[in-house]
Each structure stands twice: as structure tokens, then as C-alpha cells.
């Protein structure tokens, strides 16, 4: 009888250890999965930023060419026709060119990042979504409404 009782205790102890071990393994797996998701999201963000910078640099090549040709054409036209008013478009085009230069090769991204960090720390209420953060229930409600609308339209 004593052996049976100690056998039951050791069995329940072993079962409890297995449950705890399984829980620990599951928690570790979830932690690794979460870490991988965070790394993947960060890599995707970095790739998107790199594409944005590359787009700015490519756009700058085309706009720089346009700006140079337009500036030269307007300057020659202003001198030949003795009309300094023809130089007026160079001023706003110069601002656009400077912005594109800053975006492609300057510190615009760093200044935007600092401003975003400032907004997140001191003006966090500006970041609140209308109707708050979406919940599972609100998403399901919208999904059900859409599916019932689709079935109604099919009739």
C-alpha cells in the first residue's frame, strides 16, 4: 500500500513537472516568436525607409535636371527680353529643390525622427485613434456587418 501511495505521489509530481516544463517551453517559444516578429517588422520598416530615401534620390536627379534647365532658360529669357519677372518661378522651384536635396542627402529624416519622438513624449494625446484602439469585438462587428451587407446585395 505504501509503495502504491508513493508511486501516486511521484507520478503526480512527474506529471506536474511535465506540465511546468511544457508551460516553460511554450512560454519560451512564444517569446522567441515575438522576438522574431519584432525583428521582422523592424527589417520591413528599415527596407521601407531605404526605399523612400532611394525614391527621393532618384526624384532629385530628375527634378535637378528640370530645375537646371528651367533656371537657365528663364535666366536667358529674362536677359534677352529684358523682363526680370521671368526669374520669379526660380524662387519657388528653388525651395522645392532644396527640400528634395535635404530629403535625399540631408538631415530631414533625422529632424523628422526627433520631432516624432517629441510628439510621442509630450503630445501623446494627438496619437489617439478615433473611437480608441480597435478591439477584437469591434473588428468582428465590422466584419459581420460587411458580410451581412454582401449577402443582402447578392439577393
Amino acid at each position: 500500500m505504501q509503495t502504491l501511495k508513493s508511486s501516486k505521489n511521484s507520478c503526480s509530481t512527474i506529471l506536474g513537472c511535465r506540465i511546468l516544463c511544457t508551460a516553460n517551453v511554450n512560454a519560451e517559444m512564444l517569446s522567441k516568436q515575438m522576438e522574431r516578429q519584432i525583428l521582422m517588422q523592424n527589417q520591413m520598416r528599415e527596407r521601407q525607409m531605404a526605399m523612400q530615401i532611394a525614391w527621393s534620390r532618384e526624384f532629385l536627379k530628375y527634378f535637378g535636371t528640370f530645375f537646371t534647365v528651367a533656371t537657365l532658360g528663364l535666366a536667358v529669357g529674362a536677359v534677352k527680353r529684358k523682363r526680370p519677372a521671368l526669374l520669379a518661378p526660380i524662387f519657388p522651384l528653388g525651395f522645392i529643390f532644396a527640400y528634395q536635396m535635404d530629403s535625399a542627402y540631408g538631415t530631414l529624416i533625422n529632424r523628422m525622427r526627433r520631432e516624432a519622438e517629441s510628439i510621442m513624449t509630450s503630445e501623446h494625446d494627438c496619437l489617439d485613434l478615433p473611437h480608441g484602439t480597435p478591439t477584437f469585438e469591434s473588428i468582428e462587428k465590422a466584419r459581420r456587418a460587411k458580410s451581412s451587407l454582401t449577402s443582402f446585395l447578392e439577393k
Side-chain angles (χ1 to χ4, degrees):
M1 189 69 137
Q2 185 69 12
T3 309
L4 184 61
K5 192 173 185 181
S6 66
S7 174
K8 283 185 179 179
N9 285 340
S10 65
C11 184
S12 66
T13 304
I14 292 171
L15 183 61
C17 286
R18 284 187 181 167
I19 291 172
L20 286 175
C21 288
T22 304
N24 288 338
V25 168
N26 286 342
E28 187 176 322
M29 286 174 47
L30 287 174
S31 176
K32 283 184 180 183
Q33 182 180 9
M34 178 74 78
E35 183 180 350
R36 286 184 184 117
Q37 286 177 348
I38 291 169
L39 289 172
M40 183 183 69
Q41 287 176 343
N42 191 47
Q43 283 183 1
M44 292 302 295
R45 182 192 59 79
E46 287 174 350
R47 290 175 185 183
Q48 288 172 343
M49 287 183 71
M51 285 298 293
Q52 182 65 36
I53 293 169
W55 182 90
S56 293
R57 290 179 181 178
E58 191 63 27
F59 181 79
L60 181 64
K61 291 174 190 175
Y62 288 95
F63 188 77
T65 303
F66 165 75
F67 180 72
T68 303
V69 170
T71 300
L72 290 174
L74 290 170
V76 168
V79 170
K80 280 189 175 182
R81 295 185 181 176
K82 296 181 182 174
R83 292 178 56 195
L86 288 175
L87 297 174
I90 294 174
F91 188 68
L93 289 175
F95 276 106
I96 296 169
F97 185 70
Y99 174 81
Q100 288 300 324
M101 280 288 290
D102 193 22
S103 175
Y105 295 102
T107 60
L108 177 68
I109 291 176
N110 294 331
R111 291 193 314 272
M112 288 172 55
R113 185 179 295 120
R114 281 194 305 269
E115 184 64 24
E117 288 171 355
S118 172
I119 290 168
M120 290 177 76
T121 56
S122 63
E123 301 174 46
H124 199 276
D125 57 326
C126 294
L127 304 176
D128 293 339
L129 294 171
H131 300 291
T133 304
T135 62
F136 178 77
E137 290 80 21
S138 66
I139 293 169
E140 279 299 302
K141 182 179 177 184
R143 185 189 63 77
R144 283 192 296 269
K146 184 179 177 184
S147 67
S148 66
L149 178 63
T150 305
S151 63
F152 175 73
L153 291 175
E154 289 175 352
K155 290 180 182 180

